[in-house]
Amino acid sequence: MSTSMLIAVIAIAAVVVIALAVGLWMAARRRRLRNRFGPEYDRTIETEGGRKAAERELREERHDELEIKELRPERRDQYAVEWTSVQEHFVDRPEGSVKEADELVSRLMRERGYPTEDYRGQLRDLSVEHGRTLEHYRAAHDVKVRSTDHETTTEELRGAMVHYRALFDDLLTDQRSR
């Protein structure tokens, strides 16, 4: 075999090995993102129009810059008492209770260190640590928005409370060190 033929074979083999390594790296990255973000990964692929755009949207760098804090046990207890109060108001004021639940979840997010300026940003920031309960937040928020125009049923409002509770519990009990 000539030297030029040997160089060509080695170059082709190197290209194949590099392509295989890149493919394996991308597959591992997708698997890691899917495990990290849960159902939020597939949902973002649908809304962003593809994997590449979704993976750009599901950036962890912004989240890593946040100073997410643990709550002291007495603050967690105070939040739990406040949640009980919000639930008790539901019987007499279902729409008001949903609004109170939204405000309580936002306050809890803010105290933990999550920005709460805009809803889309909240979803993006929460998706890193709370991707598994994010669909609950979306559903609850949708009902809350529609309830301001009195376009919801009591059953939908009850469902919103259940959805807010899922994220509330997740935010309240997710107290591992960062």
Side-chain angles (χ1 to χ4, degrees), residues 83 90 94-95 97-103 105-106 109 119 122-123 126 133-148 152-153 155-168:
W83 180 263
F90 184 82
E95 287 177 347
S97 291
V98 167
K99 184 175 185 252
E100 285 179 54
D102 181 74
E103 291 167 355
V105 166
S106 291
M109 287 170 52
Y119 176 66
Q122 287 174 330
L123 293 175
L126 286 170
T133 55
L134 209 49
E135 198 54 43
H136 287 286
Y137 186 46
R138 270 193 190 85
H141 183 77
D142 176 61
V143 171
K144 186 204 110 194
V145 168
R146 289 186 301 114
S147 76
T148 59
T152 53
T153 65
E155 186 58 27
E156 288 174 311
L157 295 167
R158 187 198 65 73
M161 292 295 290
V162 171
H163 290 307
Y164 275 125
R165 179 63 188 246
L167 179 60
F168 178 83

